[in-house]
Amino acid sequence: MKEVIYRFGVETDWVEELAVNLGGFVRGNFIIVPDDILTGTYYTLQISENITVMLVDVIYHQDVLYKVRNIKNDFAGIYFNLTEGDLVHVMDDISRSVGRWNYNLAITDSQLDIDFVIKSGSKSYGISLFLKKHILREYLSKTGILDEVLNRVFDQKQNTLLHYAHMSSNSWHIINEFRKSTPGSISFNLLFSGLAYNLLADCLDNIMKREIMISKVLRTDLAMILNSQTSLIKKQEGIFPGITSLAAEANMSATKYKKLYKKITGQTPNAFFLNNKLELARDLLGSGQYTIRELAEKLNFTSTSHLSEQFKSYFGMSPKEYAASL
């Protein structure tokens, strides 16, 4: 397995370092990597002094372990990932499967060390945004959040900028439209900049709608809740396992589990489970492999009408309307 230690940042001084560590070089906005490691497009663009965006659209030909070790803590990373294959994020010995069919949205603080393990044969597609924390703070302040809460969010001693979820239906559509663009074309940088701003606005709007609660959390409790999220993802084709069972797996009382789960994730366990089930239903419907009736059976909805009702409530359109829009 090839090991690559590198860093990110809004300033793009890390790009050449990443290219060299991959055994390649930089040509304009492109990172050129040897074909025995991967083939495809690695493209970075600094669109302002506060935001840089990176596109990865490649196929891996060997296993690679990326170790992100940032030297600046003034930015956050927002990762939209539609990888098809075996991609795992590891932090504090906690592993999370990431990609099109798993977590496909992550927001992480630059001060966190995270490893990415991707297996040979994986088709990796991702859009990464790196933005200064003061931009996040300015945006959140306009939503009416109290300064007391903002101070906690951006307190470097607290582990609050960490969030794994599914991207919104709108972000999913925006990215799929963008994939029709050709990197290096005359209009590409303009389209790429527009994509970055649209994804940022959509992501932050959806985070605020989830009413994420911010406070300091013990790392052991954080680990147990994130493990519980992973467990729920693995069970999303079945029925909700129940708070008592989930709390027992996390070695917590039901009361503590529910309180911490909402505090850390911004959602109740039930809502997280249902939303992820609906996100999976959308992706599977988009694959064209299942009818709506087959999806209802596969994902353990009580009936086709129940799936349709929940789908429309979540996405704003029925499964039939969604399939017709593809």
Side-chain angles (χ1 to χ4, degrees), residues 154-172:
F154 296 98
D155 182 350
Q156 295 180 7
K157 296 180 181 179
Q158 298 192 34
N159 53 348
T160 51
L161 284 178
L162 176 64
H163 183 62
Y164 282 85
H166 278 277
M167 69 179 74
S168 72
S169 180
N170 187 45
S171 290
W172 191 82

Side-chain angles (χ1 to χ4, degrees), residues 234-305:
K234 291 178 179 178
K235 297 172 181 175
Q236 60 188 338
E237 290 190 11
I239 61 174
F240 183 68
I243 296 297
T244 301
S245 173
L246 292 168
E249 288 181 3
N251 294 315
M252 299 178 188
S253 68
T255 300
K256 178 180 179 180
Y257 175 81
K258 288 190 293 184
K259 181 179 180 181
L260 275 178
Y261 199 100
K262 177 66 184 270
K263 183 178 292 185
I264 292 170
T265 71
Q267 296 176 289
T268 65
N270 258 303
F272 176 83
F273 183 76
L274 176 59
N275 291 349
N276 276 276
K277 187 185 286 284
L278 291 168
E279 297 280 0
L280 178 59
R282 177 201 63 190
D283 288 345
L284 292 177
L285 187 61
S287 72
Q289 299 177 13
Y290 300 91
T291 65
I292 298 172
R293 181 179 296 277
E294 288 170 339
L295 272 181
E297 294 177 355
K298 179 178 176 61
L299 299 181
N300 267 281
F301 283 93
T302 55
S303 64
T304 303
S305 60

Side-chain angles (χ1 to χ4, degrees), residues 1-2 22 37-38 42 56 58-66 81 83-90 98-99 115-125:
M1 179 182 292
K2 183 175 182 61
L22 281 167
I37 298 175
L38 57 85
Y42 237 118
V56 177
V58 303
I59 298 176
Y60 280 86
H61 304 302
Q62 62 176 273
D63 298 349
V64 179
L65 167 60
Y66 292 101
N81 202 304
T83 292
E84 296 184 24
D86 193 350
L87 172 61
V88 176
H89 285 196
V90 182
V98 176
D115 296 346
F116 302 75
V117 182
I118 189 160
K119 294 293 186 178
S120 177
S122 296
K123 297 179 180 179
S124 180
Y125 189 92

Side-chain angles (χ1 to χ4, degrees), residues 5 48 59-60 63 91 95-96 112 138-139 142 157 160 166 169 176 194 214 219 227 232 236-237 245 248 266 283 295:
I5 301 176
S48 77
I59 298 176
Y60 280 86
D63 298 349
M91 187 187 72
S95 299
R96 302 171 195 84
L112 298 174
E138 288 174 11
Y139 177 88
K142 293 176 182 177
K157 296 180 181 179
T160 51
H166 278 277
S169 180
N176 274 295
I214 303 299
R219 296 191 74 84
N227 277 335
L232 281 172
Q236 60 188 338
E237 290 190 11
S245 173
D283 288 345
L295 272 181

